Amino acid sequence: MTMLGAQLDDLATLSTRLQTTSTDVGAVKDQSVTLTSTVVGNVTEAARHALSEISTQMDLMSQSVAASTSQADATQWTGANADRFRQGAAEFQSSMATASTTTSEAFQAFLQAASTMSESLENYVTQLSGSLMTAQESASQMSSAVESQRANLDQVMNIGISAG
């Protein structure tokens, strides 16, 4: 024999569980958006900071070598050792310029890649938010539907149907 009806307490518990699920889905959505935004911001800021610090250190080193070269130029010094020193200092300055350019290019490429990743993560967050919002709304609607069913069953089974 088929049963008509349901345990009203079970339906109330199910409705409450669905509402909790809706709240949980909303919390996951919010936390996912926050974490993703934080990751993008931290990576970009760390790369910019590293580039700034490396550039500063390289500039300080170049200034030190330039000061030594200036001092050597001002010093009365001739001969093979003086020539080798000046040649080495010029090569060092050239190497530092190359290193500075390479560093700048590498970090600019990294920042561009980070920007691309940021766009990708923003698209992900948009899609995830939409999906989770739909899931949250579905859970809330199911909760309401179950609660309405419980109320209807209670009305029909326990209060009765009035005629006329």
Side-chain angles (χ1 to χ4, degrees):
M1 178 172 202
T2 304
M3 178 179 132
L4 176 62
Q7 290 290 344
L8 297 181
D9 290 343
D10 289 348
L11 289 177
T13 301
L14 175 59
S15 176
T16 300
R17 178 69 251 164
L18 288 167
Q19 204 51 42
T20 299
T21 298
S22 174
T23 301
D24 291 346
V25 169
V28 167
K29 176 184 69 73
D30 294 344
Q31 189 66 13
S32 297
V33 169
T34 299
L35 289 171
T36 303
S37 297
T38 299
V39 165
V40 171
N42 288 347
V43 167
T44 301
E45 179 56 32
R48 286 188 176 129
H49 179 72
L51 175 59
S52 175
E53 289 296 315
I54 291 169
S55 295
T56 297
Q57 294 301 313
M58 290 174 73
D59 289 345
L60 289 172
M61 189 169 43
S62 290
Q63 290 170 10
S64 179
V65 170
S68 294
T69 302
S70 254
Q71 186 65 47
D73 288 342
T75 300
Q76 297 257 338
W77 185 19
T78 59
N81 286 339
D83 292 340
R84 276 193 290 275
F85 174 83
R86 289 183 180 97
Q87 180 182 357
E91 288 173 6
F92 180 83
Q93 290 291 16
S94 176
S95 292
M96 287 306 299
T98 300
S100 180
T101 299
T102 300
T103 299
S104 180
E105 288 172 354
F107 275 92
Q108 292 306 322
F110 180 83
L111 288 169
Q112 181 60 42
S115 176
T116 300
M117 288 186 320
S118 173
E119 291 172 16
S120 176
L121 285 174
E122 286 172 11
N123 288 338
Y124 156 75
V125 165
T126 299
Q127 291 175 358
L128 178 68
S129 291
S131 294
L132 291 178
M133 191 172 293
T134 299
Q136 184 178 19
E137 289 169 1
S138 293
S140 288
Q141 289 171 356
M142 286 187 290
S143 173
S144 294
V146 168
E147 182 55 34
S148 291
Q149 181 65 42
R150 188 205 62 74
N152 287 341
L153 281 172
D154 188 31
Q155 174 69 28
V156 169
M157 302 304 280
N158 295 320
I159 298 173
I161 300 175
S162 60

